[in-house]
Amino acid sequence: MSSSANTTTIGPMGAPSRRNTELALLVFAVLIPVFAYVNVGLAKEGTVPAGVFGYAAGLGLLAGIAHFMVRKFAPYADPLMLPIATLLNGLGLVLIWRLDLEPSITTPRLGGAMAPGQLMWSTLGIALFLGVLFFLKDHRVLQRYTYISMVVALILLILPMFFPARFGARIWITIPGVGSLQPGEFAKIIIAVFFAGYLMVKRDALALASRRFMGMYLPRGRDLGPIIVIWALSLMILIFETDLGTSLLFFGLFVIMLYVATERTSWVVFGLTLSAVGAVAVASFASHVQSRVHNWLNPLELQDGGVTETAQAMYTFGAGGILGSGLGQGYSRLIGGIAPKSDYILATVGEELGLTGVMAVLVLYALLIERGMRTALAARDPFGKLLAVGLAGAFALQVFVVAGGVTGLIPLTGMTLPFLAQGGSSVIANWALVAILLRISDTARRPAPAPAPSTDAEMTQVVRT
């Protein structure tokens, strides 16, 4: 079979690095947001925005530096991840700037214009992306810090309990001179490192030492410990921080990685059962969760003289139709507060770009997740496989939870859509997540060393990975 017919990400010897493909895709990833920026300016002000050249140069410069670093330090990395992340981040900046032009939701009380701040956080996110590629030469180094990762992740998850609640949830910490940060966004990456390191060591015991009952393999009591602890921690997060999104993400990530490591469906059944029991128990007394579930079940109910945000989001999707009203010509500002820029930014996409735009954005997310899973399949070491699955799974869970909440499929959780929604912690953490996936894919796609010319030479050959 010729090398051109190969469809796996494990490259044969001498396989192309695809860096030129990445560069060509990056050009489109920069041009599309620039055209969107011009489109918004023409729709809102009737002229091409004065800052279009600055925006194009800035986004292009950031994308160019990121591409140069990938070419230099991860030459065999997946060629699609960086362009997709750049496109989503660029579109998010345009959408936030477009909503900044609405005076009713850009008052000083609501934080004013947020696009400049989001641009600063995006720059910091790309700087962290470059730092990860430069300093993390081999992802297997992270395996040494399995239990340290667990401690750091728990500290990050517990920290918000000591800060005042905002919008009904304790998920932010305030650092003087820096602003508010959401530690849970960083914890999802660190906890994936812990799960990958832990499950790589324990997977045989979890997969093989079990009893068969009604067609399912039930884990032993001693092996139930980790999942019970994780379940209890996710409940504590939900109870004390009233953070439904992080709780779902935390527990769902563990169940996904557990299933991939053991290939036992019984673990999935246990996970879903414990999750359902916990959610029902907490919803019986936590008012914040009750409110979100009630709004989900009764979206058209009148509250305080108006309809719920869930109903307003449905109206925006309905108004958008198939092709949308056009960028800058929608009314998603009626959702109120900063929600159109954060939790409900997908509603703005639905109204102004229609079902076509929503599907295009979801396909971009699906492609990024698929490339992460493909990297897991191609990884040559068990730790890399589990870590790639964990990172791609965390990303997928977050997109599903947010998109499902906005479209009314599940209750709204308060998480933000990666790269698209306003939120400094989210954009920084997701750039770091993409950088780690690129590092794993670089190792996975790197060509195998050429065979030694003779048996004697093979015995003394130095293999570099």
Side-chain angles (χ1 to χ4, degrees):
M1 181 182 294
S2 66
S3 60
S4 60
N6 181 36
T7 56
T8 69
T9 55
I10 304 177
M13 285 182 203
S17 66
R18 302 295 186 192
R19 296 278 65 84
N20 290 334
T21 304
E22 179 184 84
L23 181 59
L25 291 174
L26 270 176
V27 172
F28 286 101
V30 172
L31 285 179
I32 291 172
V34 171
F35 282 133
Y37 188 79
V38 173
N39 196 337
V40 171
L42 291 172
K44 298 296 291 183
E45 301 171 349
T47 60
V48 176
V52 64
F53 293 110
Y55 175 73
L59 189 61
L61 182 63
L62 290 174
I65 293 173
H67 168 73
F68 173 77
M69 290 294 283
V70 172
R71 186 179 284 268
K72 176 79 175 173
F73 295 103
Y76 292 96
D78 188 285
L80 287 183
M81 292 187 195
L82 179 60
I84 293 173
T86 303
L87 176 55
L88 287 170
N89 201 166
L91 285 175
L93 287 169
V94 172
L95 289 170
I96 294 169
W97 174 71
R98 171 261 172 279
L99 291 164
D100 280 346
L101 298 178
E102 301 290 348
S104 62
I105 58 172
T106 314
T107 63
R109 186 180 66 83
L110 294 175
M114 295 183 172
Q118 185 71 4
L119 180 59
M120 181 194 72
W121 291 119
S122 300
T123 305
L124 288 177
I126 293 176
L128 183 59
F129 171 89
L130 303 180
V132 171
L133 285 182
F134 181 76
F135 291 106
L136 186 64
K137 304 296 185 188
D138 189 337
H139 64 274
R140 289 169 291 189
V141 172
L142 298 173
Q143 190 181 347
R144 300 175 189 168
Y145 307 104
T146 296
Y147 291 97
I148 293 176
S149 301
M150 179 189 68
V151 174
V152 173
L154 289 178
I155 291 173
L156 289 175
L157 288 172
I158 293 171
L159 265 181
M161 292 184 189
F162 304 100
F163 289 83
R166 295 175 58 190
F167 309 112
R170 294 178 185 274
I171 57 177
W172 285 276
I173 63 172
T174 303
I175 301 176
V178 176
S180 298
L181 291 177
Q182 203 170 328
E185 289 286 348
F186 301 96
K188 72 183 180 189
I189 299 175
I190 301 172
I191 204 75
V193 173
F194 162 66
F195 286 158
Y198 176 82
L199 291 174
M200 199 193 74
V201 176
K202 300 288 186 181
R203 61 177 179 171
D204 288 341
L206 291 166
L208 302 176
S210 56
R211 299 182 181 86
R212 188 177 175 84
F213 178 73
M214 294 181 66
M216 289 193 308
Y217 289 94
L218 301 181
R220 298 180 306 183
R222 74 185 72 169
D223 298 326
L224 274 175
I227 198 168
I228 294 295
V229 170
I230 297 299
W231 176 67
L233 285 173
S234 64
L235 278 186
M236 286 176 62
I237 294 169
L238 183 56
I239 293 171
F240 293 108
E241 300 180 3
T242 57
D243 183 8
L244 184 60
T246 302
S247 178
L248 283 173
L249 177 65
F250 190 34
F251 191 71
L253 175 61
F254 182 66
V255 173
I256 289 174
M257 294 182 70
L258 197 55
Y259 173 70
V260 171
T262 63
E263 299 180 7
R264 295 292 192 196
T265 52
S266 54
W267 282 106
V268 178
V269 174
F270 269 110
L272 292 176
T273 304
L274 288 175
S275 181
V277 170
V280 171
V282 173
S284 64
F285 62 86
S287 60
H288 184 68
V289 178
Q290 286 175 350
S291 172
R292 288 188 182 276
V293 174
H294 181 81
N295 290 343
W296 173 57
L297 294 175
N298 307 280
L300 299 179
E301 187 177 75
L302 295 178
Q303 291 182 357
D304 302 325
V307 296
T308 62
E309 290 179 341
T310 305
Q312 289 169 330
M314 290 180 178
Y315 294 150
T316 61
F317 284 118
I322 300 296
L323 298 177
S325 60
L327 275 172
Q329 301 181 59
Y331 295 91
S332 60
R333 63 178 182 274
L334 297 177
I335 294 176
I338 64 168
K341 301 177 186 176
S342 55
D343 298 4
Y344 285 97
I345 199 162
L346 192 63
T348 303
V349 177
E351 182 174 12
E352 302 194 350
L353 296 177
L355 178 64
T356 307
V358 172
M359 293 308 296
V361 168
L362 293 181
V363 165
L364 286 175
Y365 283 123
L367 270 176
L368 194 53
I369 295 162
E370 187 268 345
R371 301 308 292 189
M373 290 298 181
R374 202 176 174 94
T375 296
L377 289 173
R380 299 164 185 170
D381 62 295
F383 177 77
K385 284 181 182 294
L386 285 172
L387 182 56
V389 165
L391 295 175
F395 198 86
L397 279 172
Q398 189 163 351
V399 172
F400 170 75
V401 165
V402 178
V406 175
T407 55
L409 181 65
I410 60 174
L412 195 69
T413 59
M415 298 186 76
T416 55
L417 206 55
F419 292 118
L420 213 63
Q422 189 275 332
S425 311
S426 176
V427 73
I428 292 176
N430 283 308
W431 271 114
L433 185 151
V434 171
I436 298 173
L437 280 176
L438 283 178
R439 172 55 66 208
I440 299 172
S441 72
D442 175 57
T443 306
R445 299 179 75 249
R446 192 175 288 272
S454 65
T455 307
D456 292 340
E458 185 178 3
M459 294 178 67
T460 58
Q461 185 180 31
V462 176
V463 178
R464 300 182 186 280
T465 59

